[in-house]
Amino acid sequence: MSAPTRNRPEPATLPPPDSVRAAHRTHPGWWVLVVFVMLCVLALVRMLFTNPNLQWDVVAAWFFSKSILLGLMRTLQLTVLSMLIGIALGVLTAVMRLSPIPILSSVAWFYIWFFRGTPLLVQLIFWYNMAALFPTIQIGIPLTGPTFWSGDANVVVTPFVAALLGLALNEGAYMSEIVRGGILSVDHGQNEAASALGMRSSRAMRRVILPQAMRVIVPPTGNQVISMLKASALVSVTSMPELLYSAQIIYNRTFQTIPLLIVASLWYLIVTTILSIGQYYVERHYARGGRRSLPPTPVEKFRRRLNSLRSRMSPKEAR
Amino acid sequence: MTEHIEDSGRPVVLRVTGLKKRFGSLEVLRGVNLTVLQGEVMCILGPSGSGKSTLLRTMNHLEEVDSGRVELDGELVGYKQRGSRYVTLPEKQLAAQRARIGMVFQNFNLFPHMTVLQNVMESPIGVLRRPSREVKETAMGLLDRVGLADWSHAYPRTLSGGQQQRVAIARALAMKPRLMLFDEPTSALDPELVGEVLDVMKGLAADGLTMVVVTHEIGFAREVADNVLFMDGGYVVERGHPDDVLGNPQERRTKAFLSKVL
């Protein structure tokens, strides 16, 4: 450090680097924008408190009512079940699409093409009216074999089953592409190493490829869960009493439309918030071995900030 | 099974006969023959594109062949003979054959989502179905042998290239292979890390492990190999004891190659 000072003598007054604070110079235009945004936020907050049409007392009264909570349960049930079926379908069709057998890969392609290419709302109404297309449902070997079981479509395909089928089949098509992208993101050398160690391809997929693909699959899947939660509101058109339809039933009777929509929206927000937190930790789990050190959890971040604050308050003690 | 005994009295582990392989219009292997005896180390040298890596990869059927045969202990690798035709083996049997052949890759190919110890234990437990306590003991012994016992709970990406390659060697050894294949094991390493990997390999050779090594490390070949194969353009151009092939090459192409790399 002392060598290059021959030509350029260091000013003796320069403070030690620790105490230098970098100064940000802010363009005046930013201040105008800040003031404008602040005014908008204030207006919004004031509206929330003062607008009588919001009827917060009504919101509070219905928030934990039995029919709303039942609707919420139904929404959660639909989301979880259709997500699980969708993920299973997605993995299956992704593996089919990547298989070297042309029939399997084209069937998977067709499935994705169809269910991504038509609106979810149309699919839901379609499943709801399935009895008009297939009056009886049979389970057996297609075209040739015996029938193991058959039943009346109106009895089997209840509104819940119709909603589940619609959401899950649609979700499967999207998950398929997500899973396929994840599998393709894993280095080919991993497959070779697994084969060279004597693993069969099914085992290599389960133990080596999919766990690594998860790092790519999980973030968009988290998004899918959140969209699914909200997409399940579409089911209300088939008079399935999920969260939104439960709210609608009430406001059709009481005409308290806005407060009940607020009740439903708040519940959706609460659940998506919980889901986002869950997603963060799942992502962390699958980041193992990916980075040299894992990012801190919010709790760790909070603790660190608290510590640095404490040391700033009493600098002498900290030094 | 017929016994395959050469002059030296040692059994033949690997025999390659008339091996040909093409990628599209490019002939990569144009009829390769070789024999590896038990406990022998064979080094395959040659310029890039000479077909040496492809040859190595046909030995555990990572690469299909167009004609010719690869035999491990007298058993056809990757195919079974049906009349005059070869039919690819069912996956189960192919996997069982590969389990007997260890392989170390240029890019290590460790499983990044598993710790070092899990990498080594995965296949002995999952494929060979050996009890996990016994496997763990063997695995720790092997990690100790490659000098990484203290790193057993680290994830591969936190290790240096040399350390990762030593884990990869331990992982392959954990399967107790009959034959070890090394595909340019030091080519992806920083120069100062090459030595630690070669030292481990020298130790294995001294213990009598049968090895086929594709490498650019002429010094290693000279010191460790029982047999050196020099390849160019899909042919074996020259073969023999390292002192002859490397010390006193007869073929023009061998001389040209050695003059470039030495």
Side-chain angles (χ1 to χ4, degrees):
Chain A
M1 282 305 274
S2 56
T5 53
R6 206 169 350 128
N7 300 339
R8 269 182 295 146
E10 269 182 52
T13 51
L14 201 68
D18 282 5
S19 59
V20 178
R21 280 263 175 116
H24 293 284
R25 191 166 291 184
T26 314
H27 192 277
W30 283 112
W31 289 113
V32 178
L33 188 63
V34 166
V35 169
F36 177 71
V37 170
M38 288 298 285
L39 284 176
C40 290
V41 171
L42 282 175
L44 185 71
V45 171
R46 199 186 63 151
M47 186 276 289
L48 285 178
F49 278 99
T50 56
N51 189 331
N53 297 330
L54 289 170
Q55 294 179 283
W56 285 110
D57 52 327
V58 179
V59 172
W62 284 109
F63 200 72
F64 292 109
S65 70
K66 197 179 167 202
S67 53
I68 288 290
L69 289 183
L70 277 176
L72 176 66
M73 285 316 294
R74 207 23 88 76
T75 289
L76 292 177
Q77 232 174 7
L78 271 178
T79 307
V80 170
L81 286 177
S82 45
M83 235 16 241
L84 288 178
I85 300 173
I87 289 172
L89 267 175
V91 172
L92 178 73
T93 50
V95 172
M96 277 169 70
R97 263 209 84 182
L98 292 170
S99 84
I101 304 164
I103 290 181
L104 293 184
S105 66
S106 35
V107 165
W109 180 88
F110 183 82
Y111 164 73
I112 296 161
W113 171 77
F114 184 81
F115 284 96
R116 275 203 321 184
T118 52
L120 176 56
L121 187 55
V122 175
Q123 290 173 28
L124 285 169
I125 299 171
F126 215 98
W127 288 113
Y128 182 65
N129 293 299
M130 208 170 81
L133 181 61
F134 308 110
T136 55
I137 294 173
Q138 300 179 331
I139 294 179
I141 298 163
L143 301 179
T144 52
T147 309
F148 304 126
W149 179 89
S150 77
D152 182 2
N154 269 322
V155 179
V156 181
V157 187
T158 59
F160 185 78
V161 172
L164 194 60
L165 275 172
L167 292 174
L169 284 170
N170 185 264
E171 188 56 34
Y174 283 94
M175 282 309 300
S176 181
E177 290 296 272
I178 292 173
V179 173
R180 191 171 68 99
I183 292 174
L184 289 177
S185 76
V186 178
D187 180 35
H188 185 62
Q190 293 290 312
N191 229 329
E192 291 196 337
S195 320
L197 283 164
M199 287 188 212
R200 288 155 73 178
S201 57
S202 54
R203 185 173 183 85
M205 182 58 80
R206 254 185 308 120
R207 299 286 302 174
V208 177
I209 307 298
L210 278 181
Q212 292 181 65
M214 287 306 269
R215 213 146 45 92
V216 176
I217 293 173
V218 166
T221 304
N223 270 343
Q224 290 299 109
V225 178
I226 289 170
S227 335
M228 172 62 81
L229 179 80
K230 294 176 296 171
S232 69
L234 286 176
V235 170
S236 62
V237 298
T238 63
S239 47
M240 245 285 294
E242 41 67 72
L243 183 52
L244 176 61
Y245 193 63
S246 304
Q248 285 174 329
I249 291 173
I250 299 166
Y251 71 62
N252 282 336
R253 186 156 35 87
T254 65
F255 300 105
Q256 294 159 323
T257 311
I258 296 293
L260 276 146
L261 287 178
I262 290 176
V263 168
S265 302
L266 284 178
W267 274 118
Y268 282 118
L269 275 173
I270 289 171
V271 179
T272 45
T273 307
I274 295 169
L275 287 175
S276 313
I277 295 171
Q279 182 186 359
Y280 179 85
Y281 284 95
V282 175
E283 274 177 38
R284 235 178 96 82
H285 174 78
Y286 284 106
R288 273 175 322 167
R291 287 200 217 156
R292 284 176 187 234
S293 63
L294 292 170
T297 63
V299 179
E300 283 168 359
K301 260 189 225 166
F302 179 74
R303 227 178 258 154
R304 254 179 239 179
R305 198 164 297 167
L306 209 70
N307 281 341
S308 76
L309 213 72
R310 211 178 280 155
S311 63
R312 208 177 291 169
M313 299 248 248
S314 52
K316 275 173 211 158
E317 240 176 82
R319 282 285 143 80
Chain B
M1 206 199 320
T2 47
E3 276 293 301
H4 293 260
I5 311 278
E6 296 284 292
D7 312 340
S8 63
R10 285 190 288 181
V12 174
V13 172
L14 183 76
R15 189 196 295 277
V16 172
T17 338
L19 200 67
K20 288 186 184 162
K21 165 83 187 169
R22 55 166 64 219
F23 289 121
S25 62
L26 180 72
E27 280 188 79
V28 191
L29 299 173
R30 308 181 187 219
V32 175
N33 301 301
L34 63 86
T35 323
V36 183
L37 303 182
Q38 186 177 309
E40 208 173 46
V41 177
M42 173 177 281
C43 283
I44 304 177
L45 307 176
S48 55
S50 59
K52 53 192 192 312
S53 275
T54 307
L55 173 62
L56 192 79
R57 289 160 56 84
T58 61
M59 291 176 186
N60 65 350
H61 199 69
L62 280 185
E63 213 71 76
E64 307 226 334
V65 303
D66 293 328
S67 68
R69 49 200 290 151
V70 177
E71 290 155 285
L72 178 74
D73 291 327
E75 179 189 327
L76 201 55
V77 171
Y79 300 92
K80 62 183 172 195
Q81 208 162 354
R82 193 178 284 166
S84 60
R85 294 196 314 138
Y86 289 154
V87 188
T88 311
L89 275 183
E91 205 196 358
K92 191 175 178 181
Q93 291 172 36
L94 184 58
Q97 280 185 340
R98 283 175 174 153
R100 285 153 55 199
I101 307 169
M103 186 159 193
V104 173
F105 298 85
Q106 181 176 352
N107 296 317
F108 331 131
N109 291 342
L110 291 176
F111 304 137
H113 59 299
M114 300 182 190
T115 64
V116 164
L117 186 62
Q118 284 167 342
N119 262 280
V120 179
M121 290 173 62
E122 175 62 30
S123 266
I125 292 176
V127 175
L128 301 179
R129 304 268 165 216
R130 292 216 300 260
S132 62
R133 182 179 295 180
E134 176 199 313
V135 170
K136 189 172 180 186
E137 222 166 87
T138 323
M140 285 309 294
L142 286 168
L143 286 175
D144 189 42
R145 170 162 192 188
V146 300
L148 291 169
D150 293 342
W151 296 86
S152 61
H153 292 294
Y155 283 98
R157 287 213 180 127
T158 61
L159 304 183
S160 74
Q163 289 171 322
Q164 288 191 48
Q165 194 60 297
R166 286 185 279 150
V167 174
I169 293 173
R171 179 176 72 172
L173 288 174
M175 297 293 283
K176 304 198 171 135
R178 180 84 171 115
L179 168 72
M180 278 280 275
L181 308 175
F182 293 85
D183 189 5
E184 302 197 27
T186 57
S187 296
L189 299 178
D190 290 339
E192 78 269 23
L193 303 176
V194 169
E196 61 191 59
V197 172
L198 292 182
D199 285 343
V200 168
M201 290 168 63
K202 283 173 197 166
L204 299 179
D207 284 358
L209 188 70
T210 313
M211 295 159 58
V212 179
V213 185
V214 170
T215 186
H216 290 296
E217 297 292 331
I218 306 292
F220 175 79
R222 181 171 289 154
E223 190 180 335
V224 180
D226 299 297
N227 257 314
V228 169
L229 217 66
F230 176 74
M231 287 186 71
D232 194 13
Y235 294 105
V236 176
V237 175
E238 195 164 354
R239 70 175 84 211
H241 194 269
D243 290 348
D244 301 328
V245 178
L246 302 173
N248 183 21
Q250 300 299 311
E251 296 289 328
R252 186 180 47 81
R253 279 185 284 182
T254 319
K255 285 179 195 166
F257 176 74
L258 289 174
S259 72
K260 269 183 228 157
V261 295
L262 284 181

